[in-house]
């Protein structure tokens, strides 16, 4: 099934936000997106509403859509909720002695082999692999509702990863790889305590990031 006009408008806008072309606080009007994508106002308007529902933009009457920043509060909240969901999934996997899910191992292998993080696109692509790693663990728990809940966090997950990368740079890759490997080892050992402990260390904001974000753009 091909992509709809709404899908194309949504993907263009989301890409422009994620790559920094549309930065936090910036306004974008429907006509701008129409001209850039060759689409009519109706699908563009629907894409705006979809992005607003996911927390990427705020809709402002007569101004269009304003790109939202990530606040320090949201950063802490997304890590808290992710920990609640992911730790439950890891506990389930260890309790069932399920071992390491293949999808988690594949995602980590790709992260280990990833080229150096230099451009914003590199960080975005690397961040998608990180999301795939963690989502695979949740999916392996076998709880479909938990996966649905986890997927609603994706916009905040993506932006929090980028915020961390802006501060940590290439060192983020080495820290992430080491902690991911420790999580897989804990799953292989069926060690609930170790799995949850390492996850807690992993889902902790780099200290400078909350200060950099401040109050964010609500």
């Amino acid at each position: 099934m091909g992509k709809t006009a709404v899908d194309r408008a949504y993907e263009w806008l989301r890409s422009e936000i994620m790559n920094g072309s549309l930065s936090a606080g910036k306004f974008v009007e429907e006509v701008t997106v129409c001209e850039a994508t060759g689409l009519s106002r109706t699908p563009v308007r629907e894409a705006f509403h979809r992005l607003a529902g996911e927390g990427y933009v705020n809709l402002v009457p007569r101004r269009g859509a304003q790109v939202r920043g990530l606040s320090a509060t949201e950063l802490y909240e997304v890590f808290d909720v992710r920990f609640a969901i992911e730790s439950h999934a890891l506990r389930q996997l260890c309790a069932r002695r399920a071992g390491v899910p293949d999808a988690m191992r594949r995602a980590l292998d790709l992260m280990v082999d990833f080229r150096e993080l230099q451009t914003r696109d590199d960080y975005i692509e690397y961040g998608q692999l990180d999301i795939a790693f963690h989502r695979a663990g949740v999916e392996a728990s076998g709880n479909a509702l938990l996966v649905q809940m986890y997927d609603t966090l994706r916009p905040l997950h993506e932006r929090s990863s980028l915020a961390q990368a802006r501060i940590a740079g290439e060192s983020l890759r080495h820290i992430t790889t080491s902690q991911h490997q420790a999580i897989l080892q804990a799953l292989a050992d069926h060690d609930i305590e170790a799995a949850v402990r390492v996850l807690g260390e992993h889902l902790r904001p780099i200290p400078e990031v909350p200060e950099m974000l401040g109050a964010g753009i609500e």
Side-chain angles (χ1 to χ4, degrees):
M1 188 179 199
K3 294 179 180 177
T4 67
V6 176
D7 290 335
R8 297 204 305 275
Y10 168 86
E11 290 178 3
W12 184 87
L13 277 162
R14 181 180 169 280
S15 176
E16 293 295 289
I17 292 170
M18 292 302 297
N19 68 27
S21 296
L22 293 175
S23 56
K26 187 170 184 177
F27 283 92
V28 55
E29 298 180 347
E30 289 178 8
V31 65
T32 302
V33 183
C34 292
E35 292 174 352
T37 61
L39 298 170
S40 66
R41 283 180 176 266
T42 298
V44 170
R45 187 175 301 118
E46 291 185 32
F48 274 7
H49 282 283
R50 182 172 166 186
L51 286 161
E54 293 179 351
Y56 285 105
V57 301
N58 288 328
L59 300 181
V60 182
R62 296 181 297 280
R63 294 292 303 276
Q66 184 183 32
V67 179
R68 292 190 70 237
L70 178 71
S71 71
T73 297
E74 287 174 318
L75 181 71
Y76 283 115
E77 289 176 347
V78 71
F79 277 120
D80 282 348
V81 177
R82 282 185 57 196
F83 179 77
I85 293 175
E86 293 183 38
S87 63
H88 176 79
L90 294 182
R91 288 177 186 277
Q92 292 296 308
L93 291 172
C94 289
R96 295 204 318 261
R97 304 181 72 81
V100 178
D102 290 340
M104 291 184 79
R105 191 181 299 280
R106 286 196 300 271
L108 180 55
D109 287 343
L110 290 171
M111 295 178 81
V112 170
D113 294 337
F114 198 82
R115 59 186 177 273
E116 289 186 0
L117 301 177
Q118 296 180 339
T119 69
R120 190 177 182 89
D121 286 343
D122 289 341
Y123 284 113
I124 292 172
E125 186 176 346
Y126 187 80
Q128 297 305 310
L129 291 175
D130 179 64
I131 291 173
F133 174 89
H134 289 279
R135 188 184 186 281
V138 177
E139 189 172 24
S141 73
N143 188 322
L145 182 57
L146 205 65
V147 175
Q148 291 178 24
M149 293 172 61
Y150 192 76
D151 284 345
T152 65
L153 300 173
R154 190 179 186 98
L156 286 172
H157 190 162
E158 289 177 332
R159 289 187 292 158
S160 64
S161 294
L162 275 178
Q164 297 265 96
R166 284 160 59 190
I167 290 292
E170 181 65 26
S171 64
L172 176 71
R173 178 181 174 186
H174 302 295
I175 295 170
T176 298
T177 298
S178 175
Q179 292 175 332
H180 281 189
Q181 289 171 333
I183 289 172
L184 294 194
Q185 186 60 56
L187 288 175
D189 295 339
H190 319 301
D191 189 336
I192 293 176
E193 183 178 344
V196 173
R197 175 179 53 77
V198 176
L199 179 68
E201 294 170 356
H202 183 58
L203 297 181
R204 188 176 298 162
I206 296 169
E208 296 87 350
V209 174
E211 182 178 350
M212 179 192 75
L213 293 173
I217 294 174
E218 303 296 332

